[in-house]
Each structure stands twice: as structure tokens, then as C-alpha cells.
Amino acid sequence: MSTIKLEIVSPDKVVYTEDIGMLIVRSTGGELGILPHHAPLVTGLVPHAMRVRIDQDRDEQLIAVAGGFMEVTPEKITVLATAAEMPIDIDINRAKEAMTRAKERIAKFHEGTPEAKEIDIRRAELAMGRAMARLRATKTEFAEP
Ligand code: ATP
């Protein structure tokens, strides 16, 4: 089976580097499946749990990404992430707390009270997206917003 090199880097470290069979990501333009020898591509990524398949015999590996960019060449996929974590490195309680904070802000914004004007709704939605990505990557159950 042919493979493609995947390197995921965050501002402080190389999070993941491996020869893989397939990567499924959520880009700003929608879901993309990347196989070896893919055509060159550069795209933005939204917060989500990336899905990595090494080969047919192994289960899918999930990796949380907070956002960033992906560059694809026929031989290599580079993900430059604003933050990315392997499931083992994710603090589930921290992600649940971030999710609760974001949900509360979003609810307040929609209540339309004078306080709501202070809320940056886009920022709250992105924070919720990052928390959801971390909970999905760790297969943690949560109530969908
Ligand atoms: P929080 O509000 O909990 O800080 P956040 O989504 O605002 O969450 P980020 O700005 O995406 O956090 O990330 C800041 C740093 O903290 C990054 O290095 C990221 O990898 C790390 N990080 C954030 N949340 C978690 C988590 N639940 N488990 C492990 N590392 C985390």
C-alpha cells in the first residue's frame, strides 16, 4: 500500500509525524480526504478531530486541531496548527469547562440583554469548536449544542 508523509506541527512542537495511508480533514471549504499522490493544495482548517488511517489493519487515529493551515504535495502533508493534540494529551475536564463557558456566552448573546453586546460571538463559537474537537478526539460524550 502506498503512503504519504504526514507532519502536524503546533507553535511549540511537532505533534505527529508518520507515513500514513489516508487523512480526512475538515477544511474551510468542507471535508477533504487526502491519499498518497494527491494534487498540490493549500487550505485553511476549522476546529475538528482529524482522522488518520495508517493502513487497513489499524484503527483510525483521531487528532484534535484548533485551526490553521494544511499544505499538500504528492509526497507530504503538512499541517501548521494553531494548536493540536493527540487524544492522550487532552485534558477532558478542561475541554468540558471550555465548552460550558462557550455555551453560556453563546446563550447570553442570543438573549439580547445589554450584557450581550459585550460578547464576541465569533470568538465564543470558535472556542466551542475547539472544545468539541477535543471531546470528539477523545470520544467523550457531550450534549450537542
Ligand atoms: P482553554 O479555554 O481551556 O484554554 P482554548 O480552546 O482557548 O481552551 P487554545 O487557545 O486552543 O485553548 O490552546 C492553548 C494551548 O492549550 C495549546 O497549547 C493547546 O494545545 C492547549 N490546550 C487547550 N485545551 C486543552 C485541553 N483540553 N487539553 C490539553 N491541552 C489543551
Side-chain angles (χ1 to χ4, degrees):
M1 186 183 160
S2 72
T3 59
I4 183 164
K5 189 173 174 63
L6 170 62
E7 188 165 79
I8 301 171
V9 296
S10 71
D12 52 334
K13 63 175 177 175
V14 177
V15 176
Y16 185 85
T17 175
E18 197 74 54
D19 291 325
I20 65 153
M22 179 163 75
L23 171 70
I24 299 172
V25 298
R26 192 134 40 95
S27 78
T28 46
E31 192 166 86
L32 288 175
I34 312 291
L35 294 165
H37 315 298
H38 194 282
L41 167 81
V42 175
T43 186
L45 297 176
V46 298
H48 72 291
M50 296 187 285
R51 293 155 57 193
V52 178
R53 191 163 276 278
I54 299 205
D55 57 39
Q56 276 104 336
D57 304 332
R58 272 175 276 190
D59 285 345
E60 228 169 50
Q61 166 77 62
L62 296 172
I63 304 171
V65 61
F69 292 91
M70 175 179 74
E71 182 189 36
V72 180
T73 67
E75 304 79 33
K76 188 176 178 190
I77 306 167
T78 309
V79 173
L80 300 173
T82 50
E85 304 93 30
M86 300 300 289
I88 192 147
D89 297 319
I90 293 174
D91 177 338
I92 293 175
N93 282 330
R94 177 174 167 182
K96 282 182 174 169
E97 282 165 17
M99 175 106 188
T100 304
R101 279 196 307 276
K103 265 189 178 167
E104 283 170 2
R105 287 203 179 99
I106 293 166
K108 262 204 186 115
F109 177 84
H110 291 297
E111 279 167 17
T113 54
E115 251 189 290
K117 288 201 187 71
E118 305 300 316
I119 292 168
D120 181 342
I121 185 70
R122 182 74 189 129
R123 184 173 162 189
E125 283 168 354
L126 284 170
M128 179 143 85
R130 295 193 297 273
M132 278 167 50
R134 291 173 176 127
L135 295 175
R136 290 215 170 100
T138 49
K139 299 186 176 162
T140 308
E141 302 246 340
F142 62 93
E144 291 283 339

